[in-house]
Amino acid sequence: NKVYVSGTKVLYNKALNNFRAKNYEKSYLQFNSLFLNNMQDILINFYLGRSAYELSKYEFALSAYDRILIAEPKNTRARLEMAQTYFKMKLYTQSLNEFNEVLKNKKIPIKVKKIVNAKVEYIKSIQKKSFLMQTVLLTILKYARVTTIYLSTK
């Protein structure tokens, strides 16, 4: 999958070293430069997305993971990163959908499966609380409206 233009292998290794050293700003810039020359490289997109995520550039991270999934729809690691990014953005419905797709892969390690299941349960509990709050608010608003109509007729 890798196509190296002169000098890009050196830059890729520098970017990867910066990523591993948690120099995400540098790795982001370097992987972005590599991406501009090779937009379909899975590893470049992956590390570009991970670097973007670590810099809280979540939309850029999602774009990188999306490019990977267009090329490789069954890439569980990219889907997991996408789910985690949605989770970080508090886009719980999208996150839940992606986590559920990850869980369809029977080959994921047990440790990862436990973490994903815990996130799924957390999202479901948040969605349940949100639904209950909306129900309570709607009940209060209906009661307030009925009270206002009743009082305005007196």
Side-chain angles (χ1 to χ4, degrees):
N1 256 10
K2 285 187 194 144
V3 177
Y4 290 113
V5 182
S6 64
T8 58
K9 188 169 186 170
V10 172
L11 181 57
Y12 179 85
N13 288 332
K14 283 182 182 179
L16 190 57
N17 287 337
N18 278 318
F19 179 82
R20 289 178 177 154
K22 299 184 181 190
N23 295 326
Y24 300 118
E25 192 69 48
K26 282 184 180 179
S27 69
Y28 177 78
L29 293 172
Q30 291 165 329
F31 280 118
N32 193 53
S33 177
L34 289 163
F35 163 74
L36 294 174
N37 292 317
N38 194 356
M39 295 181 176
Q40 297 180 359
D41 186 285
I42 301 298
L43 284 175
I44 289 172
N45 275 293
F46 180 78
Y47 285 110
L48 177 60
R50 287 289 299 121
S51 297
Y53 177 89
E54 294 297 337
L55 295 170
S56 301
K57 297 179 179 190
Y58 302 124
E59 293 82 6
F60 292 104
L62 288 173
S63 293
Y65 303 140
D66 199 39
R67 286 189 296 274
I68 294 168
L69 291 170
I70 287 168
E72 294 181 0
K74 296 192 185 286
N75 188 315
T76 302
R77 181 63 196 264
R79 192 165 302 282
L80 180 60
E81 295 299 335
M82 181 176 265
Q84 182 60 34
T85 304
Y86 281 134
F87 184 84
K88 194 75 166 178
M89 296 171 75
K90 298 184 180 184
L91 297 172
Y92 296 122
T93 301
Q94 294 92 326
S95 181
L96 183 61
N97 290 338
E98 297 301 330
F99 279 133
N100 283 330
E101 283 297 315
V102 168
L103 289 172
K104 287 180 184 178
N105 181 342
K106 303 300 180 202
K107 295 180 181 178
I108 61 171
I110 292 171
K111 184 178 178 180
V112 173
K113 189 174 185 177
K114 285 181 181 180
I115 293 168
V116 170
N117 279 324
K119 296 253 178 166
V120 165
E121 291 307 312
Y122 178 78
I123 291 168
K124 286 179 179 177
S125 74
I126 286 177
Q127 289 177 329
K128 192 174 189 179
K129 286 178 191 174
S130 176
F131 176 77
L132 290 173
M133 282 298 277
Q134 289 173 1
T135 304
V136 168
L137 287 173
L138 284 174
T139 304
I140 292 169
L141 289 172
K142 284 181 184 177
Y143 177 76
R145 185 168 180 245
V146 169
T147 304
T148 304
I149 291 171
Y150 174 76
L151 292 176
S152 66
T153 59
K154 287 197 163 202

